[in-house]
Amino acid sequence: MTSAEAGALRRLAPSARRFLAHRKGVLVRLALWSLAESGQAFLVGHAVARSVDEGFLAGDPRRGLLWLGVALVAVLSGARVVRGVFAQLAGVTEPLRDGLVRRAVDRSMARAAPGGPGGTDRAAVSRLTNQVEIARDSFAGLVLTLRSFVFTAAGALLGLLSLHPALLVVVLPPLAAGLALFLVTLRPMAAAQRRALAADEALGDHAASARAALRDLAAGGTEPGVERRGADLVADAAAAARTLAGWAAVRTAALGVAGHLPVLALLIAVEWLRGHGVSVGALLGAFTYLVQSLLPALHTLMTALGAAGSRLLVVLDRILGAETETETETGPEPVPDRVPEPVSVLKSQPGPSTASASAAAFAVDMAAVPAVELRAVTLSYGARAEPVLDALDLCVAPGEHLAVVGPSGIGKSTLTRLVAGTLAPSSGEVRVAGRPVTGRPAAELAALRVLVPQDAYVFSGPVGDNLAYLSTDACRAELDAAVGAFGLGPLVERLGGLDGTVRPAELSPGERQLVALVRAYLSPAPLLLLDEATCHLDPASEARAEEALAGRAGTLVVVAHRLSSAVRADRTLVLDGVRARCGTHAELLSRSPLYRDLAGHWNS
């Protein structure tokens, strides 16, 4: 036995004794029903032997049929015995399941509670949904099969002994050999089962962590490492499954030895047994004991111990065992909740960043080249669908503040995605700073523009890291100035300052939007795209944020949530599904009926 299995048994033994000690009544009733099963096994083989020796071979068919009737009654009584066994089984298995669920919940809550280890216990889902059910089903199977084997084997062996002691000499050696070979496989199978479960948990934990950190991974450029880690975990899980399958093959060989050799040995030894006084009826009774009772019970026992037994030991240790031991045996560390940034974002001495270097690579004469230019851009979601944007031309000058308005679903978000380069037009061309954006690498696009969507993204980590995520050379003074410009001081103070920790679930949607807006404000990208990124802010906070963003060096394009955004903008683009109109607030009030309607709606 490995040290892990030995430790598991030592930890689980006291709990098992306490659990069983509180259910003595159920165990006694279960044993009484099992005694009836033992008597049934004894009667079936004994009645067959007597029907042959004392009935048919003795010339008394009536007596033979009477004994066969006794065997039939014994067989039919098995249904009543099984019903009684299952009625008592629920009194043992369901309390076990309830106790394991409580233990798993308590353990997860203790980890998350103040003073606990902290962090997200992702394995708790596996324990509650999968491992608890494995434990209950495995425990029920073990109780059924162990009980059945012990009492059925006792009845069958007692019956063989009553027929003739020589029968045991022939039957017992192959039975013992198969059982011994099977017992040899139990420990390595338990170890293989443990590794398989650990690999499954590690793979699930990695997948959950990677899914939660997808944006961080993409921004940090660490996807290849995470992908390699995932491939390694898949390979580990496959190797554990192959090892488990190998030991399952050995167990199958043990089943073959124990399940077939006794019958073969009895057939070979018929002449020898007849020579030692074994009657024909005793031989038929011995075959009945083997085929009807002993071998099926042994087969079920070996199957249950080989599969359910090892699973039960491992799963109970995962749920009830020492927490530190459980967590350290899963192998290398999974993906953390947040990926480490390549460079600290609170440097005292600013230096060139990757984004700044990329922006410098695309530096152009901003006075001569439009900040945003759309040339006959058409976008349809499907070959036969009506275009969302149809032959749209647009030119936004460097440093201009443009608002985009229109009814819901008219294509405002589609427009920002086209300009951001995350969506390709069906026809036409989109340029930012004179460069086509369609098909451009993500790193180059990140240097040219920042897109802030309606659902703002923040990650678990320091406040300063969230704010300066797009500007790794931002110093603390710049962060403080940005926090003041957006009125974010109370929130930062509540979180513990720039070194405090952001927990996204504890922030309101408006607070998350402010964090994302400050992050965009600090970015070196020359173009900011806000897709209703202020919809969760009150009017005063929205005005303050847009004023700060408009005063930033660069171009600002805002999908307006309120009319006030259009009024503050240099120009407003109105999308109405027929033709786009662009102009100042005053110009659009006189030229665009839709804009007048929208203005009236917002004012009301």
Side-chain angles (χ1 to χ4, degrees):
M1 179 179 293
T2 65
S3 58
E5 279 87 48
L9 288 175
R10 285 194 299 270
R11 287 191 299 272
L12 297 177
S15 299
R17 286 194 295 268
R18 288 193 300 270
F19 177 79
L20 295 176
H22 287 84
R23 287 156 185 85
K24 292 180 181 178
V26 176
L27 295 177
V28 169
R29 291 190 294 271
L30 195 59
L32 291 176
W33 280 109
S34 300
L35 281 175
E37 188 173 357
S38 181
Q40 175 204 10
F42 176 85
L43 280 177
V44 170
H46 192 81
V48 169
R50 291 292 179 264
S51 69
V52 173
D53 288 339
E54 299 178 7
F56 300 114
L57 290 182
D60 190 352
R62 292 180 57 188
R63 190 177 183 88
L65 292 174
L66 179 63
W67 277 110
L68 287 181
V70 172
L72 178 62
V73 170
V75 170
L76 294 178
S77 66
R80 182 72 180 96
V81 172
V82 170
R83 179 182 177 185
V85 167
F86 273 92
Q88 301 304 319
L89 184 64
V92 180
T93 57
E94 294 310 309
L96 173 71
R97 180 186 182 279
D98 295 342
L100 293 177
V101 168
R102 284 194 298 270
R103 181 61 179 266
V105 172
D106 290 345
R107 174 176 167 181
S108 181
M109 295 296 291
R111 177 171 179 169
T120 302
D121 188 10
R122 295 185 180 90
V125 177
S126 176
R127 285 194 290 270
L128 283 173
T129 60
N130 186 31
Q131 297 183 23
V132 166
E133 293 304 316
I134 289 177
R136 182 186 67 170
D137 295 343
S138 300
F139 182 69
L142 282 178
V143 170
L144 282 175
T145 53
L146 283 171
R147 173 207 56 80
S148 177
F149 175 75
V150 169
F151 288 93
T152 300
L157 292 175
L158 184 62
L160 287 172
L161 181 63
S162 68
L163 294 178
H164 201 287
L167 294 171
L168 292 178
V169 176
V170 175
V171 170
L172 279 181
L175 278 175
L179 189 59
L181 179 61
F182 167 74
L183 292 176
V184 169
T185 68
L186 285 180
R187 293 169 183 172
M189 276 202 72
Q193 187 72 47
R194 177 186 296 274
R195 289 192 295 272
L197 273 177
D200 179 67
E201 284 187 3
L203 183 58
D205 194 28
H206 174 82
S209 300
R211 184 174 62 250
L214 281 178
R215 292 190 181 183
D216 293 351
L217 296 173
T222 56
E223 305 102 310
V226 175
E227 183 179 356
R228 287 192 298 271
R229 171 64 180 154
D232 291 341
L233 289 175
V234 171
D236 291 342
R242 285 192 294 270
T243 301
L244 191 60
W247 284 109
V250 177
R251 186 193 67 195
T252 302
L255 287 174
V257 172
H260 299 290
L261 282 186
V263 176
L264 182 60
L266 196 61
L267 288 172
I268 294 174
V270 165
E271 185 176 353
W272 179 82
L273 291 171
R274 292 287 292 152
H276 284 76
V278 179
S279 65
V280 174
L283 285 172
L284 289 177
F287 280 112
T288 302
Y289 280 129
L290 287 176
V291 175
Q292 183 69 26
S293 301
L294 190 57
L295 295 184
L298 180 63
H299 184 277
T300 304
L301 171 71
M302 295 171 73
T303 302
L305 283 180
S310 59
R311 283 200 305 268
L312 179 63
L313 176 65
V314 174
V315 169
L316 286 180
D317 188 36
R318 305 293 296 176
I319 299 176
L320 302 177
E323 183 165 353
T324 55
E325 185 168 324
T326 300
E327 291 173 352
T328 56
E329 68 187 8
T330 59
E333 290 292 327
V335 179
D337 286 340
R338 52 180 290 273
V339 296
E341 287 75 17
V343 185
S344 172
V345 300
L346 296 177
K347 291 192 273 187
S348 58
Q349 298 180 351
S353 66
T354 302
S356 300
S358 299
F362 297 111
V364 294
D365 184 1
M366 300 303 291
V369 178
V372 177
E373 186 178 11
L374 277 69
R375 301 176 180 175
V377 169
T378 299
L379 189 284
S380 299
Y381 291 104
R384 299 183 180 180
E386 289 293 326
V388 179
L389 299 176
D390 190 6
L392 176 63
D393 293 312
L394 178 66
C395 184
V396 182
E400 187 176 7
H401 178 185
L402 177 74
V404 181
V405 300
S408 178
I410 201 67
K412 301 185 297 295
S413 296
T414 298
L415 176 62
T416 59
R417 292 178 60 195
L418 286 168
V419 176
T422 60
L423 184 66
S426 303
S427 63
E429 186 179 35
V430 180
R431 289 176 173 264
V432 172
R435 300 297 183 97
V437 296
T438 303
R440 190 166 294 278
E444 297 181 6
L445 289 174
L448 292 176
R449 88 294 181 264
V450 173
L451 171 62
V452 183
Q454 179 177 348
D455 297 322
Y457 169 69
V458 296
F459 55 85
S460 298
V463 176
D465 288 16
N466 267 277
L467 298 180
Y469 190 69
L470 299 178
S471 179
T472 55
D473 58 355
C475 64
R476 187 174 291 270
E478 292 173 321
L479 294 181
D480 290 336
V483 167
F486 284 80
L488 205 61
L491 173 62
V492 173
E493 183 178 355
R494 190 187 84 204
L495 296 176
L498 294 177
D499 296 323
T501 300
V502 172
R503 294 180 177 85
E506 298 177 3
L507 300 184
S508 69
E511 289 171 337
R512 289 197 291 271
Q513 283 190 333
L514 280 175
V515 171
L517 291 172
V518 173
R519 180 190 300 155
Y521 174 82
L522 292 169
S523 167
L527 171 63
L528 297 187
L529 302 168
L530 307 186
D531 185 6
E532 294 199 23
T534 60
C535 63
H536 296 298
L537 302 182
D538 60 81
S541 298
E542 180 185 55
R544 183 171 186 170
E546 288 188 2
E547 181 181 355
L549 292 169
R552 171 186 178 274
T555 306
L556 178 63
V557 177
V558 179
V559 173
H561 179 65
R562 297 181 177 93
L563 179 63
S564 54
S565 294
V567 174
R568 284 189 294 266
D570 299 327
R571 287 191 302 158
T572 300
L573 173 67
V574 182
L575 299 177
D576 61 5
V578 179
R579 58 174 298 184
R581 294 181 182 272
C582 192
T584 65
H585 173 66
E587 291 172 345
L588 291 173
L589 284 176
S590 62
R591 293 165 42 196
S592 173
L594 175 60
Y595 188 77
R596 287 195 297 270
D597 291 343
L598 292 174
H601 170 71
W602 270 320
N603 287 332
S604 65

